[in-house]
């Protein structure tokens, strides 16, 4: 049992885990909302998927302090989602935003933990990008709960968890700066969030991916210099 625990822990701090996490994120961000809109699955499926993502975040932490904090946030999320008597409350969304923010922090640390660069690190950067999209969706939902509105347009919001399909769509549209125009912010808070996501969407690939590539080039340069020195 101890060996199984150790192997599970070791897997989620290795670069190969970025591939598994990317598959989970693709399902959560792109496939699951479509299934929800088609009523193929219920909103509980999304709640369980979020729980799995936050649970994985515990084991992705690279030190005990982060693991403990992530575990406490995970327990708080489970309580807010499945035990708290008020369904789809502000408390639940605040906790979801906090858990997602911490997951972004943990995975961002993994990208630059040893100054290395490989394909898995690029996939890890994509994971963080999709995490930001999910955080944006939660924030749009939270804005709606606080102000009574957040986005509007060619949609009909119910004020329930099922509105996630619209929030994640608009969050991705804002983050990628596509701007179809079918949905748009309904108040100033949502406008500022939309603009903020657009700014992150523009700067993130240019800064983060470029930094990863730069680290890889530096690492390979030092390696070649060491080989040349040994050859001499």
């Amino acid at each position: 049992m101890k060996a199984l625990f150790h192997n599970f822990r070791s897997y989620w701090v290795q670069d190969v885990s970025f591939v598994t996490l990317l598959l989970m994120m693709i399902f959560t961000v792109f496939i699951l909302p479509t299934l929800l809109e088609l009523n193929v699955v219920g909103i509980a499926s999304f709640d369980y998927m979020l729980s799995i993502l936050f649970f994985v975040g515990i084991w992705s932490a690279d030190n005990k302090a982060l693991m403990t904090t992530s575990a406490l946030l995970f327990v708080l999320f489970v309580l807010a989602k499945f035990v708290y008597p008020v369904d789809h409350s502000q408390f639940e969304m605040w906790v979801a935003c906090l858990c997602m923010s911490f997951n972004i922090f943990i995975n961002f640390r993994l990208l630059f933990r040893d100054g290395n660069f490989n394909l898995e690190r690029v996939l890890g950067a994509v994971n963080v990008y999709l995490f930001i999209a999910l955080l944006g969706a939660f924030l749009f939902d939270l804005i709606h709960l606080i102000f009574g509105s957040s986005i509007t347009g060619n949609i009909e919001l119910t004020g329930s968890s099922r509105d996630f399909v619209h929030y994640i769509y608009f969050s991705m549209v804002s983050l990628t700066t596509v701007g179809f125009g079918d949905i748009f912010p309904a108040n100033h808070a949502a406008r500022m969030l939309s603009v903020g996501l657009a700014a992150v969407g523009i700067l993130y690939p240019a800064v983060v991916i470029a930094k990863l590539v730069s680290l890889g080039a530096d690492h390979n340069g030092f390696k070649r210099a060491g080989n040349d020195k040994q050859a001499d």
Side-chain angles (χ1 to χ4, degrees):
M1 187 67 180
K2 187 176 181 180
L4 182 64
F5 172 83
H6 177 73
N7 291 336
F8 185 79
R9 167 80 175 91
S10 298
Y11 176 80
W12 288 106
V13 294
Q14 296 178 32
D15 290 347
V16 67
S17 67
F18 289 138
V19 180
T20 304
L21 186 59
L22 178 61
L23 294 176
M24 295 169 63
M25 291 302 297
I26 289 173
F27 177 76
T28 305
V29 174
F30 298 104
I31 300 176
L32 191 55
T34 304
L35 297 178
L36 284 170
E37 189 172 28
L38 295 174
N39 292 318
V40 176
V41 297
I43 193 62
S45 300
F46 176 69
D47 295 337
Y48 293 139
M49 195 65 210
L50 273 184
S51 299
I52 293 172
L53 288 173
F54 293 150
F55 180 75
V56 166
I58 299 173
W59 309 104
S60 299
D62 57 359
N63 62 59
K64 290 184 178 180
L66 292 179
M67 283 188 69
T68 301
T69 304
S70 186
L72 291 174
L73 289 174
F74 170 74
V75 171
L76 188 60
F77 174 78
V78 171
L79 292 174
K81 176 62 72 172
F82 302 106
V83 179
Y84 192 67
V86 180
D87 183 45
H88 195 61
S89 63
Q90 286 190 34
F91 171 64
E92 175 189 322
M93 293 313 304
W94 276 114
V95 172
C97 290
L98 188 60
C99 288
M100 188 58 67
S101 299
F102 201 72
N103 254 27
I104 291 172
F105 174 72
I106 288 174
N107 280 273
F108 198 80
R109 277 174 58 91
L110 288 178
L111 293 179
F112 301 99
R113 65 183 180 274
D114 54 10
N116 198 7
F117 172 77
N118 52 43
L119 177 60
E120 286 82 6
R121 296 291 175 97
V122 176
L123 297 181
V126 175
N127 289 334
V128 174
Y129 190 83
L130 295 178
F131 273 129
I132 294 172
L134 278 176
L135 176 61
F138 295 157
L139 289 172
F140 280 120
D141 198 349
L142 182 60
I143 289 172
H144 183 89
L145 291 173
I146 295 174
F147 297 100
S149 64
S150 60
I151 59 175
T152 188
N154 191 25
I155 55 172
E156 184 176 345
L157 299 178
T158 63
S160 68
S161 299
R162 297 194 66 86
D163 293 338
F164 167 76
V165 296
H166 303 301
Y167 293 132
I168 187 59
Y169 165 75
F170 186 67
S171 180
M172 282 296 299
V173 167
S174 299
L175 190 63
T176 57
T177 67
V178 175
F180 291 115
D182 54 339
I183 301 176
F184 48 90
N187 55 37
H188 187 70
R191 293 187 193 100
M192 291 300 97
L193 175 57
S194 180
V195 170
L197 287 170
V200 171
I202 293 171
L203 296 175
Y204 182 88
V207 175
V208 176
I209 302 299
K211 180 63 176 178
L212 283 173
V213 173
S214 175
L215 288 174
D218 292 342
H219 179 77
N220 291 333
F222 286 131
K223 187 175 180 180
R224 283 195 299 269
N227 293 336
D228 292 342
K229 188 175 181 180
Q230 290 178 0
D232 294 338

